Amino acid sequence: MAYRRRQQIKPAAGLLILLVLATLFSAATGRCQTEATAFAAIHPEQFSVETGAILTVTLNGGRQAEIRLPEVAGLHFQKRGTSTQVQMINNSFSSTTSQAYLVQADRPGQYTIPPISVAVDGTTLTTNPVSFEVAQSQTVPPGQGTGSPQTRSNTSREGAAMAFLRVVEPREHSWVGETIPLRIRAYFRQDIKVNLSSLPTLKGEGFVMPQLSQNPQQTQEDVNGTSYSVLSWDTSISAVKEGKQSLSVDLDATLLLPRRGNPFPPGFGDPDIFQDDFFQNAFGGFESRPVTVSSKPFTLEARALPTAHQPRDFSGAIGHFSLSVQAKPTEVAVGDPLNLTMTVAGSGNFDLVKAPQFPEDPRWKTYPPAAGFKQGDGPNQGKKTFERAVVIKDSHVTELPPASFTFFDPDKEDYTTLTSPPIPITVKATGQGQAAPAPSAPASPPPAVKAEPQGSGIAGLAPIHLQMEGLQKGIRPVFTRAWFIIMQVLCAVLLLGVLLWRLRRSYLRNNPALHRKKEMRELFESSMARIAEAAERDQTRYLAVCRRAIQEMLGRSWRMEPSAITLADLEKRLPPASGLIAVFAEAERGAYANYALSVDRIRQYSEIIRKELSELP
Amino acid sequence: MKPTRRISGLWALLILFAITSSAVAASTPSAETLFQQGNDLYGQGRYQEALQIYVRIADREGVSAALFYNLANCCAQTGQTGQAVLNYKRALRLSPADSDIKGNLDLLERNAGLFRQEVSWPNRMAALLDLDQWCLLAGFALMILTLISLAGLRLHNGRQLGRWISAACLLIILLSSAGIAARYRQLDEAVVVGSDARLLLSPFPAASPIGAIREGQTMYYRSQHGAYALVEDETGRSGWIAVKDIGLVRGTASGSTPPFKQAE
């Protein structure tokens, strides 16, 4: 807002400079308009004591004008601004200066402002007198108050009604108990801040209105050129007693009106500028004014419902309804319940809509219905659903009879009875179904129960249990019990272990180098174990075991048949200094000589074998 | 002399304690005795008295399927349809395969005009077992799968059979998981026990009623606000109901009072 204000001030300053230059120029040339005139006008000519009108004093041809406003009892004038226009026609300049005043009245009445004196260039001019009318209050809508709509809906912001309330009137008559729609629309001028003190209330006797919503629909609307914020409530009223009643709707609100007058002390700048909306808003220039906005009274006649030919099953429903009935399932066994869904839809007083009548018959048993209501789009529209359980006790029943619903039609001014079509069903005569607790054929009491003397009970119940079984502290789901959780966690851990094991095995199988390395390690360990055993127990076989171990390890390493490896192969492929050659040669000699080695030599050979075989690739 | 006197005094105290304990034990009947008393009263048609005894056992000793079942029978015989349905359902939780419980519940519901909603075939399949049974089935299949996997590490014969059994176990675990998911709502199952219970728009006494609900009707508990519980019926309609008018099936109490939080 402040930014916008600055934007407006800049062009105004430029314009002022231009005007000053033009005035100086015209003074220098000395060819101004020769004769000055003055006149006054007020706009609008009718306004209320809460608002005001703008008095404009216009001077044509003058430059330095001094306006002296007359004193008028009951009227206040506030200077609102000056405007000047300069024209140049055929090198001749003319200027028009207008001074605006806000005129407010203390009380209603007819007023006349006498001619206003204007001093121009040493002469005094007078304007015409100005007459206008001040009304009492303007919280009535245009066209509904004392003034004409055209007068109240003019383009002046002060001249338009601040708030008014309209009721979209229902019919001229209704029926006692009937719910008729009502639309309440509260209009508030858009430039006025409003706080609602209450929701709209119905004034008058014989009719009631339900509690309204705290959140009405909000729209904007232009009424005779003035923009209004409109709050709308769609509701309904219903008559509680017959007779002609005068009704209206009231709404309490607090209007926050801009405070008239300069909130700053005298000499604090130009007072006109503080009359602007920006400053009025920024410096809290508002005054609260509680008002009660009332609608135009309307008359409604409530008539009593005709008692002649009133159907017996009429429950008080008034409106326009339709009936639909469904059964589910349509194939049942004797004794099994089926669900009868009866839906009454339409518009009307659903509070008094009772369940449609379903005929009683010994061949079936019905139960009290459960009701549910679903609101429709309008205030009186909706759908009420009744679900009634029906247990068929006779297998010869082939259809469900019609259900009926009676209501009063306000348009026809008569009662209407809706009847649903019969619903074909299939009833199976099963043994289990026949054992159902039909009152005509009660089942025999169970043997474990000695007697069932109390009449309120159910016949056919299975007998009580005689063993109490193990007691527990409560009903706990099995998945919250410790043993179940432990078992599941254990299984999960084991499964995970198996899975990891299988993955590892698969990894080794798919990696030959790792697999071979592992085989070599296993072979080495088993060979060394055999050598150690031979050294311990059978020293005559020691050399043969060593020779075999060397052949197996080298065969695996060189990818050769172990038994085909000879001393020549060792001498050819191993380094000359390798201890394995000496051990292998000793073993070959020993194979023929069959002698035993000393303990020291055995330990020495074992070390050589361990060292060199462990280093094989 | 003094230690001897002290020991004698201790002995005297112990004997006194033993006598007192046995006297107290003799004066307090055991749960079995009470249960038998309740059964006798039921047999004589004194259902209300039997009911009080069963409730006393449940409050003091704990619960069992038979206790809930007998309690439900008492409620059914005294016209307390809601409490009867509630206790039959509790009994079924502890003994899901008991045909007596199922039969009586079915009979009671038919007699009270309480019909079950039509459900889709997947829900019908899920309803074949209750939540605990689905859990046990899944746990059993997992155990078999584990054993088969462990055996597969050592045994090299019959691997094909092992694979088939493992696949079957996995399928059972999968189906059981679906069953558990479908039946998980069972944890919040509740039953209307008040005869004039009303479903309200908000948890306040003056709130507008949404519709009537029937005693014995199954609801699903959602939350609690003061003396009201937010519930949903099998059609998805939700609203507030007075805590005193509803009982949770998984409750630990005997059924005379619903096991909700203490109403504020």
Side-chain angles (χ1 to χ4, degrees):
Chain A
M1 183 70 184
Y3 172 77
R4 202 174 65 187
R5 185 70 201 166
R6 281 196 297 273
Q7 293 289 89
Q8 288 171 353
I9 287 170
K10 277 183 181 176
L15 193 63
L16 192 64
I17 292 165
L18 272 177
L19 282 172
V20 170
L21 287 174
T23 308
L24 288 173
F25 183 71
S26 66
T29 55
R31 286 191 290 184
C32 297
Q33 190 176 353
T34 53
E35 195 170 343
T37 58
F39 68 92
I42 193 164
H43 199 75
E45 292 175 352
Q46 287 182 324
F47 57 92
S48 71
V49 290
E50 287 126 354
T51 58
I54 296 292
L55 173 70
T56 308
V57 180
T58 306
L59 174 68
N60 289 322
R63 289 198 300 271
Q64 298 288 331
E66 185 186 348
I67 299 170
R68 297 188 196 97
L69 290 174
E71 291 285 333
V72 182
L75 290 185
H76 306 281
F77 300 94
Q78 290 176 20
K79 197 175 177 185
R80 295 302 301 269
T82 306
S83 67
T84 303
Q85 285 184 325
V86 177
Q87 289 181 313
M88 185 178 72
I89 301 168
N90 294 331
N91 207 23
S92 174
F93 289 89
S94 65
S95 67
T96 303
T97 304
S98 297
Q99 178 69 54
Y101 298 88
L102 173 67
V103 182
Q104 287 182 305
D106 290 337
R107 54 188 174 275
Q110 191 76 34
Y111 290 87
T112 300
I113 301 173
I116 301 165
S117 299
V118 182
V120 184
D121 298 334
T123 61
T124 302
L125 303 174
T126 54
T127 67
N128 54 304
V130 176
S131 297
F132 56 91
E133 183 186 349
V134 178
Q136 173 66 47
S137 171
Q138 242 179 351
T139 56
V140 289
Q144 292 187 10
T146 52
S148 66
Q150 286 73 20
T151 305
R152 294 182 184 280
S153 60
N154 56 39
T155 52
S156 167
R157 287 164 55 191
E158 279 76 9
M162 288 183 289
F164 59 93
L165 201 141
R166 280 179 177 169
V167 173
V168 178
E169 294 177 18
R171 302 192 308 260
E172 290 180 351
H173 72 268
S174 74
W175 302 90
V176 174
E178 183 189 4
T179 304
I180 52 176
L182 189 74
R183 174 165 249 217
I184 300 167
R185 293 164 67 84
Y187 291 73
F188 297 99
R189 216 171 61 194
Q190 277 195 334
D191 57 333
I192 293 175
K193 294 181 179 5
V194 179
N195 287 331
L196 290 188
S197 308
S198 73
L199 289 170
T201 51
L202 184 69
K203 297 291 176 189
E205 290 184 350
F207 281 83
V208 290
M209 185 171 74
Q211 181 79 22
L212 295 177
S213 166
Q214 296 278 356
N215 300 307
Q217 185 188 358
Q218 294 189 37
T219 53
Q220 292 184 358
E221 199 173 303
D222 277 356
V223 179
N224 295 331
T226 303
S227 292
Y228 285 88
S229 297
V230 185
L231 304 178
S232 301
W233 288 268
D234 283 317
T235 182
S236 59
I237 56 173
S238 58
V240 291
K241 67 176 184 181
E242 58 183 290
K244 193 174 272 190
Q245 309 291 345
S246 177
L247 306 170
S248 66
V249 177
D250 286 357
L251 171 66
D252 292 331
T254 301
L255 306 181
L256 299 176
L257 299 171
R259 205 185 294 279
R260 303 298 174 193
N262 184 3
F264 296 91
F268 193 86
D270 180 8
D272 287 347
I273 199 167
F274 298 111
Q275 303 295 337
D276 189 86
D277 284 348
F278 169 73
F279 288 99
Q280 293 287 355
N281 291 338
F283 296 104
F286 287 97
E287 61 177 317
S288 336
R289 185 173 298 172
V291 293
T292 298
V293 189
S294 300
S295 72
K296 183 181 174 185
F298 58 94
T299 304
L300 199 56
E301 182 190 1
R303 297 177 182 171
L305 289 172
T307 51
H309 311 298
Q310 188 180 75
R312 281 188 176 181
D313 61 341
F314 175 64
S315 63
I318 305 173
H320 304 92
F321 301 101
S322 63
L323 172 68
S324 65
V325 179
Q326 287 182 322
K328 205 172 179 184
T330 51
E331 286 189 17
V332 290
V334 170
D336 281 351
L338 60 81
N339 182 22
L340 200 62
T341 305
M342 300 174 286
T343 305
V344 178
S347 62
N349 53 348
F350 275 96
D351 286 346
L352 293 176
V353 170
K354 305 292 182 197
Q357 293 291 312
F358 187 77
E360 295 291 335
D361 194 290
R363 294 176 299 163
W364 55 77
K365 184 177 178 183
T366 60
Y367 295 88
F373 178 66
K374 191 175 179 185
Q375 180 76 43
D377 295 334
N380 292 332
Q381 293 178 336
K383 190 166 71 173
K384 203 163 187 178
T385 304
F386 301 90
E387 291 190 339
R388 183 190 285 274
V390 179
V391 175
I392 308 295
K393 297 191 288 188
D394 188 342
S395 61
H396 297 98
V397 174
T398 55
E399 64 176 24
L400 288 176
S404 63
F405 173 70
T406 299
F407 64 95
F408 183 78
D409 189 331
D411 292 342
K412 294 179 186 171
E413 300 189 358
D414 199 1
Y415 296 96
T416 302
T417 298
L418 300 174
T419 306
S420 67
I423 301 171
I425 57 168
T426 306
V427 182
K428 296 174 192 168
T430 61
Q432 191 183 354
Q434 296 291 7
S440 55
S444 58
V449 180
K450 293 175 191 166
E452 305 280 343
Q454 292 182 355
S456 62
I458 299 172
L461 282 179
I464 56 171
H465 288 180
L466 302 178
Q467 296 298 321
M468 191 166 59
E469 302 156 7
L471 290 172
Q472 49 186 291
K473 280 298 165 194
I475 302 172
R476 284 178 59 201
V478 71
F479 63 81
T480 63
R481 294 175 186 270
W483 64 267
F484 185 81
I485 295 170
I486 291 169
M487 194 189 83
Q488 299 306 305
V489 170
L490 191 66
C491 287
V493 167
L494 286 173
L495 267 179
L496 192 67
V498 170
L499 186 69
L500 289 175
W501 176 262
R502 285 181 185 278
L503 281 174
R504 181 174 173 274
R505 204 164 64 178
S506 171
Y507 175 71
L508 289 175
R509 194 178 294 139
N510 296 330
N511 195 334
L514 273 176
H515 186 60
R516 189 163 163 272
K517 196 174 174 182
K518 182 171 169 277
E519 280 183 348
M520 285 288 286
R521 191 167 61 246
E522 287 173 356
L523 184 62
F524 171 74
E525 283 169 3
S526 66
S527 299
M528 291 312 298
R530 274 187 277 126
I531 289 169
E533 188 185 357
E536 187 86 12
R537 297 183 181 172
D538 191 359
Q539 293 170 351
T540 55
R541 287 192 62 248
Y542 175 78
L543 284 171
V545 172
C546 288
R547 182 169 175 269
R548 183 67 193 161
I550 291 168
Q551 279 180 319
E552 283 179 347
M553 288 294 290
L554 290 177
R556 186 67 59 88
S557 178
W558 295 344
R559 301 177 194 279
M560 288 176 65
E561 180 61 33
S563 58
I565 293 174
T566 61
L567 182 62
D569 292 325
L570 267 69
E571 287 170 346
K572 186 178 174 185
R573 301 185 68 163
L574 290 176
S578 172
L580 287 180
I581 297 172
V583 175
F584 199 85
E586 184 76 49
E588 288 211 328
R589 280 198 298 275
Y592 299 106
N594 195 18
Y595 58 90
L597 295 174
S598 67
V599 175
D600 288 343
R601 183 58 63 87
I602 285 173
R603 191 176 298 128
Q604 182 191 355
Y605 281 175
S606 296
E607 268 313 304
I608 290 168
I609 290 168
R610 175 177 295 280
K611 182 173 181 292
E612 298 208 9
L613 287 186
S614 67
E615 290 171 353
L616 283 178
Chain B
M1 284 301 285
K2 276 188 178 176
T4 316
R5 275 186 188 173
R6 212 172 283 162
I7 291 167
S8 304
L10 198 63
W11 272 111
L13 270 175
L14 280 172
I15 290 165
L16 189 66
F17 178 73
I19 291 168
T20 313
S21 303
S22 58
V24 170
S27 65
T28 310
S30 67
E32 283 292 344
T33 311
L34 280 175
F35 189 71
Q36 195 52 49
Q37 282 178 14
N39 291 355
D40 290 343
L41 288 169
Y42 184 93
Q44 293 163 22
R46 295 155 68 184
Y47 304 121
Q48 195 60 43
E49 293 167 65
L51 187 147
Q52 286 168 1
I53 286 183
Y54 293 138
V55 168
R56 191 172 152 201
I57 298 170
D59 285 342
R60 211 179 66 187
E61 305 286 342
V63 295
S64 71
L67 186 64
F68 275 138
Y69 170 74
N70 289 4
L71 185 59
N73 272 11
C74 289
C75 293
Q77 297 290 13
T78 52
Q80 301 175 57
T81 307
Q83 289 287 359
V85 172
L86 176 65
N87 286 299
Y88 280 135
K89 284 183 182 265
R90 285 174 172 169
L92 272 179
R93 288 285 171 91
L94 296 175
S95 182
D98 193 310
S99 58
D100 281 351
I101 305 172
K102 284 182 182 172
N104 279 9
L105 177 60
D106 192 43
L107 178 61
L108 178 68
E109 286 182 333
R110 274 191 298 178
N111 224 35
L114 297 163
F115 50 89
R116 289 170 190 161
Q117 294 288 324
E118 286 286 314
V119 291
S120 58
W121 72 265
N123 283 334
R124 276 208 298 274
M125 297 300 290
L128 289 175
L129 300 177
D130 78 353
L131 185 63
D132 280 357
Q133 289 173 312
W134 282 120
C135 286
L136 287 172
L137 185 63
F140 180 71
L142 185 66
M143 197 172 70
I144 297 293
L145 182 68
T146 308
L147 291 175
I148 292 287
S149 302
L150 286 171
L153 291 177
R154 286 291 166 197
L155 301 178
H156 298 287
N157 296 330
R159 283 194 165 179
Q160 192 64 24
L161 180 64
R163 285 199 188 99
W164 279 110
I165 295 174
S166 298
C169 288
L170 280 173
L171 185 66
I172 290 171
I173 290 170
L174 204 65
L175 289 174
S176 301
S177 302
I180 289 167
R183 298 284 279 169
Y184 197 75
R185 202 184 183 196
Q186 197 183 347
L187 285 177
D188 297 324
E189 193 177 7
V191 175
V192 178
V193 295
S195 55
D196 55 349
R198 291 170 76 88
L199 207 57
L200 302 175
L201 197 61
S202 50
F204 305 104
S208 310
I210 297 173
I213 46 176
R214 199 175 290 145
E215 184 182 2
Q217 191 174 337
T218 298
M219 309 292 284
Y220 294 95
Y221 169 77
R222 289 282 168 268
S223 61
Q224 187 180 348
H225 179 84
Y228 289 86
L230 179 64
V231 293
E232 184 182 309
D233 70 4
E234 288 172 319
T235 63
R237 182 180 58 159
S238 63
W240 295 89
I241 186 172
V243 162
K244 66 178 175 57
D245 288 335
I246 197 161
L248 268 179
V249 175
R250 65 177 155 91
T252 53
S254 56
S256 56
T257 51
F260 288 106
K261 287 185 289 184
Q262 186 64 38
E264 292 161 10

